[in-house]
Structures are given as structure tokens and as C-alpha cells.
Amino acid sequence: VNADRFRQKIRRFMIKNHMTDRGDSVLAAVSGGADSVCLLLLLHEMAAELGIKVFAFHMNHGIRGAEADRDEQFVEKICRDWGIPFRSRHYPVPELSGKWKLGEEETGRIVRKQAFQEEKKRLGFSGEQSKKNGQFRVALAHNRNDLAETMLHHLARGTGIRGLSGIQAVNGEIIRPVLCLERKEIVNYLKERGISYITDSSNLSDDYTRNRIRNHILPAMEQKINAKAVEHMAETARVLAEADSYLQK
């Protein structure tokens, strides 16, 4: 992977989907995994070119004890090394999940949304003041494999066109700059640049439906049906998203 070509691919994708304008502040959600480390690196290296300010945010869900603390320290260290402003927040997700009578995944989603809004306020994006600061954006590190997993998950549970169009590149304040990349491209890029990342042990277990799709179903589709399955599903999702937006109009 040529680093410049790789960056240009992301930049073209961001421009095509109008993700940021000059003067915007982008809060990158960084777990410490390959996808989010790659996202942070790319935004950091393209910040001057895009005219954006980049901030890193890490959330400790209080689910994996010492491993979660290790993740937080890892992200804090790379931000220190790269000179990126860093913030982390702690939420007792298992406790809240019991209190709210919701699954941990759903609870995690709710508290993440709250955390992003609190960070938005902290960075000065509320009321009149925010008009002078450009726009506030939250960058998430979903890639094409996440998109394919989401499509299969929705398909299995029953869905319509919107559910099959998977994950959107832009959704309000949320932007997904690496949605044009497959997971293996990301891992290869980091390996080539000599940049380390961490693997969340909960991604390897089959406790969550999404992990069963990630660890078994998608690899079987790529190995036994079509090596470009993920790429083709991403293209189908794009076509369906266009059809959905046309039908909405």
C-alpha cells in the first residue's frame, strides 16, 4: 500500500461525501483497534490539507477490567506521541445495562451518544459561539466489513431497503471516513507503516451475533463463494442507499 495513494483514496471519499469543511472540528472515536488507529492517523496527517482540527476521544465501558484500562492507556500514549488532544470517559455499562433493562451493546450505544454530545459542548459547540467555530463532527471507524456484517445481520432479522443499505458514510454529525476500505487493507497499511494497535478480546468471542457473522459467516462467504463478497456487498449497499433516498423524495 502506497501511503500517499492510500491517503488520497480516503480524501476523495471524504470530499465526495462532503464530510468536512475547512474550520471544522472532528472528534475521532478511538478504541485502540486497527480501524480506529488508522482513522486517527489519517485524520491527523490530513488535518492541515483539509483545514480541520482533530481531537481524540476514548470511552472506557467498564466491561473488560484491566484490558479496558490497557486500551485507554494505549490510546492516550499514541495521542501524546502524535500531539493530538485526548479525552477519555468512563461509564459503568454493565451496571447501567441492568438498571435500564437493555443489552450491553444497546446501553453502550446510548452512553456513547451522550458522551459525544458532552464533548461537543466542552469543545464550545453550543449556541451562538459554535457558529464561529465551523461545524462539529464525530468520526467513527466503520469499514466495509462492518457494512457487510450489518447488511447480513439486518437481512437475517428481517429488514427493508434502508436496513440493507447498511451503514451511511454521513449521518448528521457522524462521518465515517474509512468506510471505503476493507479491514484487511487497514491492517496491511498499519503493518507497512509499523504502527501498532490492540485487539479487543470481546471481538474474538462468539457471544454477540455480530461476532458470529464476523468470525464465521463472512470469512466462509469470501473463501467459499466469492473472494470479493465484501466489496460487492458495499457496492450493493450504495445502490440501495441511492434507491432509498430517491423513494423518500
Side-chain angles (χ1 to χ4, degrees), residues 134-191:
Q135 297 289 320
F136 173 77
R137 298 279 180 257
V138 176
L140 303 183
H142 293 113
N143 60 44
R144 275 179 166 182
N145 293 63
D146 296 308
L147 175 68
E149 287 158 18
T150 302
M151 282 179 89
L152 289 173
H153 198 189
H154 288 170
L155 186 61
R157 291 193 309 185
T159 189
I161 294 184
R162 179 160 300 170
L164 284 178
S165 57
I167 304 170
Q168 306 306 312
V170 177
N171 186 2
E173 289 176 343
I174 304 281
I175 60 172
R176 297 182 169 93
V178 296
L179 195 60
C180 58
L181 300 172
E182 285 187 38
R183 190 165 287 135
K184 58 190 174 202
E185 292 180 86
I186 289 171
V187 169
N188 289 342
Y189 178 68
L190 292 178
K191 202 180 283 175

Side-chain angles (χ1 to χ4, degrees), residues 12-13 61 71 79 104 112 120 125 129 137 154 163 178 182 217 223 227 230 239 244:
R12 277 198 304 274
F13 183 68
H61 296 83
D71 295 357
C79 290
E104 285 185 354
R112 275 195 298 276
K120 178 182 180 175
F125 287 90
Q129 181 54 30
R137 298 279 180 257
H154 288 170
V178 296
E182 285 187 38
I217 297 169
Q223 286 152 24
V230 169
V239 172
D244 180 54

Side-chain angles (χ1 to χ4, degrees), residues 19-31:
M19 290 192 185
T20 58
D21 286 314
R22 301 191 82 74
D24 286 356
S25 290
V26 180
L27 184 73
V30 188
S31 65

